[in-house]
Amino acid sequence: MTTFPDGFLWGAATASYQIEGAVREDGRVPSIWDVFSHTPGATDDGHTGDVACDHYHRYAEDVEIMAWLGLRAYRFSVAWPRLADLGFYDRLVDALLARGIAPVATLYHWDLPQDLQDEGGWTNRDTAYRFADYAGRVYDRLGDRVATWTTLNEPWVSAFVGYGSGRHAPGVSDPAAAFTAAHNLMLAHGLGVQALRAAGASSVSITLNLTPVLGDPGPARLVDGLANRLFLDPILRGQYPPDVLDHLSRFTEVNLDDLPVIAQPVDVLGVNYYTVNRVVADPAAEGTPEYPGSRGIAWEPPRGRPTEMGWEVAPSGLEDLLVRLAEEYPGVPLMVTENGAAVPDGVADPDRISYLESHFRAAHAALEKGADLRGYFVWSLLDNFEWARGYHMRFGLVRVDYDTLERTPRDSARWYRNVIARNGLPD
Ligand code: FCB
C-alpha cells in the first residue's frame, strides 16, 4: 500500500460561478463573469453560468454525494456578488458539518462584482481595500464554522488571463494593466489576511496555480518568473525577485512599500497543479500576452496524449513542484487545492482515474522527500462551467446532465471513494 499520513485531508473543489447558477436570486449583483459570458464570442457556444449545475438549489443533494464519497473536506468559493445575503453559505456550511466534512472557503474565485470593475477592477488599488472589507464581513458570518480560509484563487489567471490576454473576464488586453492587477491582487491578499486575523481566523491561506517550466534555460527562467516567482516571492518572502521586478518595470511601476502587507504569514499554501510549460528560444516567436514580454519564446506542444484541455499529463511536474516549494519556501505547509483532468464525457472515465492515480503517487513521492503536504482536493466534484470553454470541458468526478441536471457518479468517483476509505493506493 502507498499510504498517506493520518488525517490527510482528501477533498474535492468547486467554485461559485462554475456551479451555483441562481445568478439573479437573493440580491446577487452582476459579476464580471456574468457580463463577460453574455458578451458574444467570449465563451465557447456562448455558454454562461446562469444555471450552471444549479448547485444553489441542489446543494443538499451535492453534500449527500460528498458524504457518500467520504470526503473529509470540501473546497468551495463564496461569491462576492452575494454579499448582501450570505444565507446560502450558512446553509451549505451547516450541511457539510452535519456530514463531518470540513468546509474550506475561498473568498475570491474570479467573480468580481461588476460595479467594482466599472471603477477599474483589479487595476484600481481601492479594490484591494474593498476585498479586505468583504473578507471580514464573510468571516463574521461563517468564521465560527469554517476551519480554513483562502483569500484568492490563482491570482496569475485573474491578472494575466483577465487583463493580459483578455481570454477571461473582464476581457482586457493590456500588459501594464495585467502587472498592476497582479500587484493589487497580492495587496488584496495581504489586507485580506489582516482582516481575517483581526476577525479571529486561525488558518489562512492563498491558492496559486504553479506551473513548472521546462526547456531552454533563459526562456524557462523568464516564464518561471512570471508564472510562479512573481507571486511566491512577494507573498512568502516579502520581495519581488530582482529579475522579475526588472522585467515588469518595462511595463509599469509597483509600490514596493506594499510588500510588508503582502507578506503576511500564511498557515497553508494552496497549490493548483495541472500540467507543465515547455518553452524554447525562437527568434521568430511572438510570445503570448499571458506572459508579457515573451517575444522570442515559443511554447512546445504537449508530449504524449493530452487531456481535453490540450494539457500535457505530467505527474512528475507535481512531485518536482512540491519538493521545490518545500526546499525554496520552507516552513509553509502545502495543500493541493486543485488537480484533475477534463476527459471525454461518459460515466466510464478510465483516463481520469489514471490521471488522478499518477498524480496521487507523485504527491506521495513528494511527501517521502520531505514536502509537508496536508491535503489534496480533486478538481472537480461536478462537471461545471469551465470559463471560456463553457460546458464542453468535463472535469467532474460526478457527471452532470445539463438537460435534467441529474448527477451521476462516474467510475472515478467510486475509485476515489476507495482511495479515501483506505487512505491510499494499492501498490
Ligand atoms: C483552474 C481554475 C478552476 C478550473 C480549473 C480547470 O485554473 O481555478 O476554476 O477552471 O482550472
Side-chain angles (χ1 to χ4, degrees), residues 117-418:
Q117 184 58 38
D118 295 339
E119 307 291 320
W122 290 111
T123 65
N124 182 349
R125 183 180 175 83
D126 189 49
T127 300
Y129 292 86
R130 303 287 291 272
F131 173 78
D133 176 59
Y134 152 71
R137 287 166 66 186
V138 178
Y139 186 88
D140 286 344
R141 183 69 181 263
L142 304 173
D144 56 337
R145 285 157 293 150
V146 171
T148 304
W149 291 85
T150 305
T151 54
L152 308 178
N153 178 70
E154 303 191 350
W156 180 84
V157 175
S158 294
F160 291 96
V161 186
Y163 296 83
S165 66
R167 204 157 49 83
H168 279 185
V172 174
S173 189
D174 169 2
F179 282 113
T180 303
H183 183 85
N184 288 338
L185 280 153
M186 288 194 277
L187 178 61
H189 158 73
L191 294 167
V193 172
Q194 289 179 334
L196 290 165
R197 298 245 191 254
S202 55
S203 180
V204 181
S205 63
I206 183 168
T207 280
L208 302 176
N209 56 308
L210 298 171
T211 313
V213 190
L214 310 174
D216 291 345
R221 175 94 181 144
L222 177 74
V223 174
D224 178 62
L226 297 178
N228 304 318
R229 292 180 292 117
L230 169 60
F231 295 92
L232 286 167
D233 283 30
I235 292 166
L236 299 176
R237 293 181 176 161
Q239 56 190 35
Y240 277 98
D243 59 316
V244 176
L245 189 58
D246 275 356
H247 186 83
L248 81 82
S249 303
R250 288 166 42 197
F251 301 93
T252 189
E253 265 177 46
V254 292
N255 185 350
L256 299 179
D257 295 339
D258 292 331
L259 285 163
V261 176
I262 289 172
Q264 295 303 300
V266 290
D267 303 291
V268 175
L269 175 67
V271 176
N272 290 357
Y273 177 82
Y274 290 95
T275 189
V276 292
N277 267 313
R278 294 186 186 274
V279 294
V280 288
D282 173 357
E286 278 177 28
T288 151
E290 292 180 1
Y291 295 95
S294 58
R295 184 175 287 281
I297 299 179
W299 268 257
E300 290 201 305
R303 300 199 179 159
R305 188 160 55 90
T307 69
E308 293 281 281
M309 294 292 280
W311 295 344
E312 177 171 335
V313 178
S316 62
L318 177 60
E319 177 182 341
D320 295 346
L321 172 63
L322 295 172
V323 171
R324 171 189 178 187
L325 292 171
E327 285 172 357
E328 294 181 17
Y329 304 89
V332 190
L334 305 171
M335 210 132 76
V336 173
T337 39
E338 285 181 26
N339 173 252
V343 306
D345 190 17
V347 168
D349 56 347
D351 291 347
R352 178 172 292 105
I353 294 175
S354 71
Y355 181 98
L356 290 174
E357 173 165 3
S358 61
H359 286 76
F360 290 175
R361 290 193 191 281
H364 192 270
L367 269 162
E368 288 192 321
K369 290 183 178 167
D372 183 8
L373 183 68
R374 303 285 177 91
Y376 204 118
F377 293 73
V378 172
W379 184 271
S380 181
L381 177 70
L382 303 170
D383 288 340
N384 60 52
F385 174 74
E386 178 45 39
W387 309 113
R389 309 299 305 275
Y391 296 100
H392 297 297
M393 294 295 131
R394 292 182 177 265
F395 274 94
L397 294 164
V398 176
R399 180 172 191 276
V400 176
D401 178 321
Y402 291 110
D403 293 324
T404 62
L405 295 169
E406 191 189 340
R407 279 80 162 130
T408 309
R410 293 196 164 102
D411 290 353
S412 59
R414 284 169 216 288
W415 173 84
Y416 188 37
R417 185 173 185 253
N418 272 319

